[in-house]
Amino acid sequence: MAPSLEEPTQVDLDAPLKEKPSLVAPEPEHCPGPESQQAGTAESCTGCPNQKICASAPKGPDPDIPLITSRLSSVRHKILVLSGKGGVGKSTFSTMLAHAFSSNPSHTVGLMDTDICGPSIPKMMGVENETIHVTAAGWEPVWVSDNLGVMSVQFMLPGRDDAVIWRGAKKNGLIKRFLKDVCWGEMDVLVVDTPPGTSDEHLSVNALLKEAGVDGAVVVSTPQEVALLDVRKELDFCKKAGIRVLGIVENMSGFVCPGCRHESKIFRASTGGARRLAEEMGIRFLGAVPLDPRIGMACDYGESFLEAYPESPACVAIQEVVRAVGEELGLERGEVFGE
Amino acid sequence: MPHENIKHIVLVLSGKGGVGKSSITTQLALSLSLRGHTIGVLDIDLTGPSIPRFFGIEEAKVRQAPGGWIPVSVHDEQVLSPLPLPLSSQKPAGEAKNEEQRIGALSCMSLGFILANRNDAVIWRGPKKTAMVKQFLTDVLWPPLDYLLIDTPPGTSDEHISLLENLHLQTSSPSAPRNQLAGAVVVTTPQAISISDVKKELNFCKKTGIRVLGVVENMAGFVCPNCKECTNVFSKGGGEVMAREFEVPFLGSVPIDPQFVELVEEGTRPVYPEGTIIAGKDVGGEVGVEDEKRKEGLLVDKYRSCSLWPLFDGIVGGLDEDIRSRDV
């Protein structure tokens, strides 16, 4: 069979995410999605053994969305941390953001990890060995400090090295339970960390949170074109999905040698880096954070880099970025750190 | 069944993103090609394909032929002229590498070659990704290959499941060459954060019955171009400890080399300051090429000037021997 070179079909971004009906055969390639509005009636459904099942499944918006919306109605600001590329520091930046906002004692901050195959938030927060408490009201997040709660799939795994070998549909189900069953309570900021790419997790988070209202997304990048290539795709995703981009952060930009104070560009911005990209796309450039080996170390030990090295250039840069994010959220300048 | 003309398939895996899977795949491919093997590279990272960028063939488009797609050629089988000698000729001439070199052909396949616009997001759910991976595995008309390297996205999800389902199916057919699915090279960086994700990937290999050929620790140390001081930007040694814990071979630590990044990003032949020592070898000194000519030549030719090449040459030498010893 000769393969087709046709334009890949785009999925329906607004498709409600209901429980999918139980199928008798695997979903075919051009399946509109058993949960979608066109399920069973689309052109590509002709001849599919699941057609009848899909067609008779209840249509309309997901009945769980109002539940999620009411659950999250007490959360003032919701921020997504995105990047098309892996390993650019999404999780690191998410933890920094959470730590920074929670440094104001009058704030309550939540951090949700939606990376199911490679969750790193619990380790970075130093709560790796915790498990979830289930109360009558729902799942209780793990509290790192008095005003900082964390939720991750890692807390539900029996062994911390176990691989989570799940297909997309199963991951979506878990993300939904996270949003529906975790009682975040009264919260000022909820930071949602995402896995790399533009696939199931991102579509679910977007579809489920649309009603509840997301303030916007912070996009993280590194300076090289190899990373920017993927970040452009992520920005395109945000545009198509109607997610407001709060701004771009450039991570790992420049490295100061501890021996001779010479600054080298480990990851060279041959195409102008994230700053140029931000200009091109008309998006706010939130700032550049230099590479500091101590950031990685602080993450490995689950400590807050911001508290440990408040004087370092990287810390100052991060605080500036957090202030900028605060501004975009409409917080007062002094409100972010409680100064 | 297609793919009977591929001798060995090697996967490049990592649970973590951005640790250098594509960069390691690229260098393994170049080094194997420099040893005279015919190589194919298949990129199944659908939402973030980087292989076209690494090989400098972003503009290329895939061609269609009766029966399938024709992969994009990076270079053909040919003989490379000896590396230029240093202009100042301080180094003794006639070192082992300074002779004509026969290289094998190298071709690539990636979703990046099919997309109309490189900035467009590929927003696909699982079933569509599964179908695409399957198509990549069955419908690409590879020439006869010694090695097919498969670069994967991070994680252990749809792409990985369908990749292994299809590969197990294909390689277990009686017409497939013996030991065709040779195993996986697992890439990590030294930090504990990365290691904890990569451990999941090793468990994934165990569960799915893939032999781990070895662990490569990437981004271990950075040599300051100013003072030649080596800093462990992302700490060091984590990969080796993990390999020992899981009883899999440790293939080596790869330092960060900004010159390699420059080679990929701008196509400039690497040059190192006098006295740079990497992996116990002096790689410093000027190469006998004037500045304006540094961009000329094939990627694989320029890669020979990179400090990482001897390291990777050693790694692929070991891999090649190991894989071939299991053929019989």
Side-chain angles (χ1 to χ4, degrees):
Chain A
M1 181 195 82
S4 61
L5 275 172
E6 66 184 295
E7 269 294 281
T9 44
Q10 292 293 352
V11 290
D12 182 5
L13 286 170
D14 300 314
L17 283 153
K18 298 187 300 279
E19 279 301 304
K20 72 169 179 184
S22 47
L23 305 179
V24 292
E27 296 143 61
E29 177 183 355
H30 291 288
C31 178
E35 338 46 33
S36 71
Q37 293 287 18
Q38 310 99 8
T41 53
E43 215 175 296
S44 51
C45 292
T46 327
C48 175
N50 298 321
Q51 190 181 9
K52 265 202 183 133
I53 302 172
C54 290
S56 59
K59 295 278 181 320
D62 190 333
D64 286 328
I65 287 186
L67 285 177
I68 292 171
T69 309
S70 73
R71 183 66 99 176
L72 294 177
S73 60
S74 52
V75 178
R76 267 170 68 207
H77 298 289
K78 302 165 201 76
I79 311 172
L80 303 179
V81 178
L82 299 174
S83 169
K85 183 98 186 100
V88 295
K90 283 178 299 301
S91 302
T92 310
F93 184 73
S94 303
T95 54
M96 301 275 191
L97 208 55
H99 274 303
F101 279 121
S102 70
S103 68
N104 180 348
S106 63
H107 279 166
T108 312
V109 181
L111 178 54
M112 185 172 106
D113 187 3
T114 59
D115 191 342
I116 288 166
C117 292
S120 4
I121 294 286
K123 194 174 182 77
M124 289 185 180
M125 292 306 236
V127 286
E128 229 185 334
N129 299 319
E130 299 286 335
T131 46
I132 299 172
H133 299 277
V134 184
T135 63
W139 297 350
E140 187 70 27
V142 171
W143 293 93
V144 178
S145 63
D146 286 346
N147 60 345
L148 178 55
V150 176
M151 192 65 201
S152 166
V153 68
Q154 181 80 59
F155 300 137
M156 297 148 84
L157 297 180
R160 63 175 170 183
D161 295 342
D162 286 359
V164 180
I165 311 171
W166 288 4
R167 287 193 182 274
K170 202 168 169 190
K171 294 196 278 190
N172 295 338
L174 184 72
I175 291 177
K176 193 167 170 185
R177 288 201 65 182
F178 264 6
L179 291 167
K180 203 174 68 172
D181 294 345
V182 178
C183 35
W184 292 107
E186 285 288 325
M187 226 164 233
D188 295 284
V189 184
L190 176 66
V191 180
V192 182
D193 182 29
T194 62
T198 47
S199 193
D200 290 278
E201 293 91 334
H202 307 81
L203 288 166
S204 312
V205 169
N206 180 47
L208 295 170
L209 287 183
K210 208 156 215 176
E211 282 291 295
V214 176
D215 286 74
V218 176
V219 177
V220 184
S221 181
T222 51
Q224 328 92 292
E225 178 60 26
V226 176
L228 293 173
L229 208 60
D230 291 352
V231 172
R232 280 196 200 98
K233 289 183 199 287
E234 196 73 31
L235 291 174
D236 184 50
F237 168 78
C238 289
K239 204 167 81 189
K240 284 181 179 154
I243 302 170
R244 184 182 151 214
V245 178
L246 298 174
I248 304 183
V249 187
E250 184 173 276
N251 197 13
M252 307 192 196
S253 87
F255 170 69
V256 178
C257 170
C260 67
R261 304 268 138 224
H262 172 81
E263 188 180 341
S264 12
K265 299 281 178 205
I266 294 192
F267 301 110
R268 270 177 58 109
S270 58
T271 53
R275 191 183 291 269
R276 258 273 293 288
L277 178 66
E279 270 167 33
E280 275 167 28
M281 310 287 267
I283 295 166
R284 175 159 182 187
F285 181 69
L286 296 169
V289 180
L291 193 58
D292 188 330
R294 291 173 299 186
I295 297 182
M297 260 179 321
C299 286
D300 280 358
Y301 292 109
E303 287 164 0
S304 167
F305 172 74
L306 296 177
E307 270 169 38
Y309 304 98
E311 304 301 323
S312 65
C315 179
V316 175
I318 291 165
Q319 280 171 338
E320 268 315 305
V321 173
V322 175
R323 270 197 201 97
V325 173
E327 261 170 47
E328 290 291 318
L329 291 178
L331 298 176
E332 294 293 321
R333 202 174 159 78
E335 202 187 331
V336 179
F337 294 107
E339 296 139 323
Chain B
M1 260 306 194
H3 292 354
E4 275 149 32
N5 54 357
I6 298 173
K7 285 198 193 133
H8 299 292
I9 299 175
V10 175
L11 313 180
V12 180
L13 299 174
S14 169
K16 183 100 185 92
V19 295
K21 282 177 299 302
S22 301
S23 148
I24 298 284
T25 310
T26 308
Q27 299 191 64
L28 288 176
L30 291 174
S31 306
L32 280 165
S33 163
L34 282 165
R35 284 185 163 239
H37 299 291
T38 312
I39 307 298
V41 178
L42 174 65
D43 181 9
I44 63 158
D45 191 343
L46 305 176
T47 52
S50 345
I51 286 292
R53 173 89 196 163
F54 270 101
F55 284 103
I57 43 177
E58 274 185 290
E59 302 304 318
K61 284 275 172 270
V62 111
R63 279 181 302 143
Q64 202 167 3
W69 285 320
I70 300 173
V72 174
S73 162
V74 180
H75 59 246
D76 294 326
E77 188 182 348
Q78 57 189 280
V79 174
L80 289 184
S81 52
L83 266 183
L85 286 173
L87 284 179
S88 42
S89 264
Q90 292 162 325
K91 282 192 177 175
E95 275 180 34
K97 305 280 187 205
N98 266 333
E99 52 196 40
E100 286 194 339
Q101 210 166 0
R102 170 165 290 282
I103 59 168
L106 176 59
S107 46
C108 292
M109 183 66 205
S110 163
L111 186 66
F113 299 137
I114 301 173
L115 297 178
N117 183 344
R118 70 174 193 150
N119 296 344
D120 282 356
V122 176
I123 311 169
W124 291 354
R125 284 198 181 274
K128 177 75 185 161
K129 291 201 282 192
T130 304
M132 194 71 210
V133 169
K134 187 169 178 213
Q135 208 172 24
F136 268 152
L137 286 173
T138 50
D139 292 345
V140 180
L141 300 172
W142 295 106
L145 296 178
D146 291 323
Y147 284 98
L148 175 67
L149 305 180
I150 303 185
D151 185 21
T152 61
T156 49
S157 191
D158 295 281
E159 290 94 332
H160 303 80
I161 299 173
S162 53
L163 175 71
L164 287 171
E165 276 175 2
N166 282 298
L167 282 180
H168 276 310
L169 198 70
Q170 284 182 11
T171 53
S172 61
S173 85
S175 59
R178 274 186 73 84
N179 189 29
Q180 190 184 26
L181 183 54
V185 172
V186 176
V187 184
T188 185
T189 52
Q191 314 103 292
I193 286 291
S194 173
I195 301 277
S196 66
D197 280 356
V198 176
K199 279 181 180 166
K200 289 178 197 281
E201 198 75 32
L202 288 174
N203 276 324
F204 171 79
C205 291
K206 227 186 247 174
K207 273 190 193 165
T208 51
I210 291 287
R211 195 163 81 92
V212 178
L213 297 170
V215 173
V216 176
E217 184 180 77
N218 196 19
M219 306 197 193
F222 167 71
V223 178
C224 173
N226 189 34
C227 65
K228 289 148 211 143
E229 162 98 16
C230 182
T231 313
N232 297 323
V233 184
F234 301 107
S235 88
K236 197 174 170 17
E240 200 168 352
V241 173
M242 179 182 73
R244 219 179 297 136
E245 192 185 315
F246 278 79
E247 291 167 353
V248 293
F250 181 68
L251 300 175
S253 286
V254 180
I256 299 173
D257 182 357
Q259 290 288 330
F260 174 71
V261 181
E262 209 168 304
L263 171 65
V264 168
E265 294 265 306
E266 285 158 50
T268 354
R269 186 184 285 274
V271 173
Y272 298 91
E274 206 76 37
T276 309
I277 293 169
I278 291 171
K281 254 181 117 172
D282 187 353
V283 295
E286 43 192 329
V287 174
V289 182
E290 297 95 65
D291 273 356
E292 58 267 32
K293 284 198 181 152
R294 276 177 65 195
K295 295 206 176 188
E296 282 174 17
L298 289 170
L299 175 71
V300 63
D301 176 30
K302 287 182 282 193
Y303 182 64
R304 290 189 299 172
S305 301
C306 180
S307 70
L308 299 178
W309 176 45
L311 194 70
F312 272 90
D313 191 49
I315 292 178
V316 298
L319 278 180
D320 190 37
E321 210 171 283
D322 175 33
I323 292 170
R324 282 208 243 181
S325 71
R326 286 174 186 255
D327 283 357
V328 279

